Amino acid sequence: MPCAASLPTVCAACRKAGALVVEQSIVKGTLSWAESFGCACGHGFEAKNAGLPTPAARQALMVAHGKFRVFVDALPKGGKAFGVLAKVLDASEAEVASALARLPAVVWEGTKPEAEFMDAALGKSGATVRIELVGPKPSAPRPSAKRPKKR
């Protein structure tokens, strides 16, 4: 399920305040992001790519939807999970093996789609994975409670 957030920005053409909309999702097994901007002056753009969005976009997504932590609780024999994690984290298998020397171990902290991507990748390797919401997701605004009138 995609998640979206907006970042305040300024139109490059007319210098008016606007919002950059960033979205992150898993598309056909690939972690993807997209961003778009449109201004009343007619200036706008769209961009899409696989992988992680900019740090500012990731932060905006975590503020809007919460921060998620991925834990590996157990690993199958054979070390296949080390190779999967090394590829996903762009790290060496030795670094991954060192990080997973004591279980449970935190292997990722980020957005919900990132956590779901990690869960799916590690699950295929036979690892036992869990995801926890660690940063508070903002609560929806509540209507103000009306006080009963005093008589």
Side-chain angles (χ1 to χ4, degrees), residues 18-68:
L20 175 71
V21 176
V22 64
E23 185 177 291
Q24 190 179 41
S25 60
I26 300 171
V27 178
K28 296 181 183 177
T30 300
L31 185 63
S32 302
W33 61 268
E35 61 185 24
S36 61
F37 175 80
C39 183
C41 77
H43 177 72
F45 68 89
E46 290 183 1
K48 295 180 181 181
N49 207 344
L52 298 174
T54 65
R58 286 185 73 231
Q59 183 64 35
L61 290 164
M62 287 186 276
V63 167
H65 300 280
K67 184 185 296 185
F68 294 81

Side-chain angles (χ1 to χ4, degrees), residues 118-146:
M118 294 291 288
D119 181 36
L122 289 166
K124 287 178 185 174
S125 74
T128 303
V129 180
R130 94 186 118 91
I131 298 171
E132 292 182 6
L133 176 64
V134 293
K137 181 178 173 183
S139 58
R142 296 179 358 165
S144 59
K146 293 183 180 180

Side-chain angles (χ1 to χ4, degrees), residues 48-108:
K48 295 180 181 181
N49 207 344
L52 298 174
T54 65
R58 286 185 73 231
Q59 183 64 35
L61 290 164
M62 287 186 276
V63 167
H65 300 280
K67 184 185 296 185
F68 294 81
R69 192 173 284 158
V70 179
F71 292 85
V72 171
D73 291 326
L75 291 169
K77 298 212 183 267
K80 186 176 178 185
F82 293 142
V84 170
L85 266 174
K87 184 175 180 180
V88 171
L89 298 175
D90 194 26
S92 72
E93 285 193 36
E95 290 172 308
V96 170
S98 176
L100 295 175
R102 295 187 66 187
L103 296 176
V106 175
V107 295
W108 190 260

